Every structure is written in structure tokens, then in C-alpha cells.
């Protein structure tokens, strides 16, 4: 059974950096891309980017380019999403998602609150 | 990467059918069949309901079906049930290894 377990909620101050983890099990980590998706309170889903765990190459949405880094640690089967220069608009739940069908399996979400 | 366009809300009575549209561009929805649909209940992660335009994952009710015409993909839910009340999102491959979501549609079962 494919499972994605994300790290817990975070509270950050404006200007800070947050790094969220996504631990996988039930499949070979390098078989599927790992995507990250943002969902602000009461808002829709926004695709942030993906990483190919096999070679570490990451692709980012234009909106987040330059402020986000998505990585994969194949020794621990964990994907990470780091978001820098946080503002209140980054307050959101962040999901990791994967699958041979893209975004078939989702983590439970990690709430990031940005507040001074 | 422009978001896909979905109606903000749709509604229907139990037993009825509803259709949610998802309109993209020629380089997105219109250029391939890599469109997925997700159901999201409050406080839960999205659940894949349809992939590659019209395929259903194992375990998803056959009351859910997907189709496409030109630049518009559609999700149809037949025999509406109370538990279908949720937010629905389409998602499409947008080229160059990027993906884009629709703005979401709130389904109300009257």
C-alpha cells in the first residue's frame, strides 16, 4: 500500500524559510515523480513543482520559481519542499502527491502558518 | 501556466446527474488526454476520481465519468448521492513537465 506521511504543522515569521518532508512507503521511491501542491485557506489547489527522485531534477511552477526548492533523499525515501521568504500569503496546507498516474496518491497535508 | 476554468459551483438533487466543465488552452487540455479529476472533502486531501480523461481508478464508483471535447474536459456524476457533496478539481498536464489545476467547483447536493 502506497503511503505518504508528511511532517507536522509549522508556524513561521514573515521572511523565514520552511522545509516540509514527505516520507514514502509501499513503492520504490525512484519509480514516480513527487509533486507538491499548495492550498491556501478556503482556496483551490495550486501545483508548485515536482522532483524526479531518480536523478534529482526538479521543475517548478512560474509562480514559485526562485523561492522553492524540491528535493529527494533516496537513502531515506523522503521528499522535501523548502519555501523561502515567507509572507502571509504562504499560509496554506502543502501536500505531496505521487503515482504512476500523476498525483494519484496524496499525503495528509502539512499546515504552514506565517504570522508575526 | 494559466489555471483551468471551472464553474465556481454546481448543484443537483439526489438521483440527478450533474456535469462539471474544465476549460483550458490548446497547449493544455486540448493537446492531449492527461486530464485528471479530484474530489476533496473538507479537511481531507484530494482523491483521484478520473485520470487520462476518462479512466476510473479501482474503487471509484462508476457513477463518475470523464470526457473531453476540444479544449474542455468534463466530469459527470450520475445518481447524485449526499456523500458526493465536495469540491472537485480538474488537473491537466501543461507541457514542459508542468501541471495546472482548475479553480475548483463546489458541488452541493440539495
Amino acid at each position: 500500500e502506497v503511503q505518504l506521511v508528511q511532517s507536522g504543522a509549522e508556524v513561521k515569521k514573515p521572511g523565514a524559510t520552511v522545509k516540509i518532508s514527505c516520507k514514502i512507503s509501499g513503492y520504490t521511491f525512484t519509480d514516480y515523480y513527487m509533486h507538491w501542491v499548495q492550498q491556501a485557506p478556503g482556496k483551490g489547489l495550486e501545483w508548485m513543482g515536482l522532483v524526479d527522485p531518480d536523478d534529482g531534477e526538479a521543475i517548478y511552477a512560474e509562480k514559485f520559481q526562485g523561492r522553492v526548492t524540491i528535493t529527494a533523499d533516496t537513502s531515506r525515501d523522503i521528499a522535501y519542499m523548502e519555501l523561502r521568504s515567507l509572507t502571509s500569503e504562504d499560509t496554506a496546507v502543502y501536500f505531496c502527491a505521487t503515482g504512476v498516474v500523476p498525483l494519484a496518491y496524496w499525503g495528509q497535508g502539512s499546515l504552514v502558518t506565517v504570522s508575526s | 501556466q494559466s489555471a483551468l476554468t471551472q464553474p465556481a459551483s454546481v448543484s443537483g438533487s439526489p438521483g440527478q446527474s450533474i456535469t462539471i466543465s474544465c476549460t483550458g488552452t490548446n497547449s493544455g487540455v486540448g493537446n492531449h488526454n492527461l486530464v485528471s479529476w479530484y474530489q476533496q472533502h473538507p479537511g481531507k486531501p484530494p482523491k483521484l476520481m478520473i485520470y487520462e480523461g476518462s479512466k476510473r481508478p479501482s474503487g471509484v464508483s462508476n457513477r463518475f465519468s470523464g470526457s473531453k471535447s476540444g479544449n474542455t474536459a468534463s466530469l459527470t456524476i450520475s445518481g447524485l448521492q449526499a456523500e458526493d457533496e465536495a469540491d472537485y478539481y480538474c488537473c491537466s498536464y501543461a507541457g514542459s513537465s508542468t501541471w495546472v489545476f482548475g479553480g475548483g467547483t463546489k458541488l452541493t447536493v440539495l
Side-chain angles (χ1 to χ4, degrees):
Chain A
E1 179 192 7
V2 174
Q3 287 196 316
L4 284 66
V5 178
Q6 299 184 220
S7 48
E10 303 252 17
V11 179
K12 295 291 184 181
K13 294 194 182 302
T17 296
V18 68
K19 190 171 185 177
I20 301 168
S21 67
C22 174
K23 168 72 174 171
I24 72 97
S25 61
Y27 74 99
T28 301
F29 189 36
T30 53
D31 278 353
Y32 311 142
Y33 293 173
M34 182 66 75
H35 301 251
W36 288 87
V37 177
Q38 179 193 61
Q39 187 170 37
K43 301 297 185 182
L45 303 173
E46 184 140 25
W47 185 82
M48 300 179 71
L50 61 79
V51 64
D52 179 354
D54 193 43
D55 62 9
E57 181 180 2
I59 302 292
Y60 305 114
E62 287 178 17
K63 174 179 177 178
F64 299 99
Q65 187 83 40
R67 212 162 59 89
V68 67
T69 300
I70 298 173
T71 56
D73 182 343
T74 56
S75 68
R76 300 174 65 196
D77 287 348
I78 300 177
Y80 297 95
M81 187 283 293
E82 177 182 272
L83 190 60
R84 302 176 289 279
S85 302
L86 294 169
T87 72
S88 59
E89 295 192 353
D90 296 315
T91 293
V93 175
Y94 294 84
F95 294 99
C96 57
T98 192
V100 61
V101 170
L103 301 118
Y105 304 100
W106 293 66
Q108 83 276 19
S110 299
L111 174 63
V112 174
T113 303
V114 183
S115 174
S116 56
Chain B
Q1 301 130 350
S2 300
L4 305 173
T5 300
Q6 299 181 231
S9 63
V10 297
S11 62
S13 299
Q16 288 186 332
S17 295
I18 62 95
T19 296
I20 299 171
S21 61
C22 170
T23 300
T25 65
N26 284 332
S27 61
V29 172
N31 200 37
H32 56 70
N33 213 25
L34 295 175
V35 176
S36 302
W37 288 91
Y38 298 85
Q39 175 192 65
Q40 188 181 33
H41 288 110
K44 299 291 188 181
K47 175 186 176 184
L48 179 66
M49 306 302 285
I50 295 289
Y51 67 99
E52 292 178 9
S54 60
K55 298 178 181 178
R56 269 189 314 274
S58 173
V60 171
S61 170
N62 60 10
R63 297 185 299 104
F64 291 83
S65 62
S67 62
K68 191 186 86 166
S69 177
N71 291 344
T72 299
S74 298
L75 173 72
T76 297
I77 309 173
S78 59
L80 269 181
Q81 299 179 0
E83 59 261 38
D84 299 332
E85 184 161 297
D87 294 325
Y88 290 85
Y89 295 91
C90 60
C91 179
S92 174
Y93 181 66
S96 302
S97 298
T98 66
W99 295 76
V100 64
F101 283 95
T105 299
K106 181 176 180 60
L107 169 61
T108 301
V109 180
L110 302 170

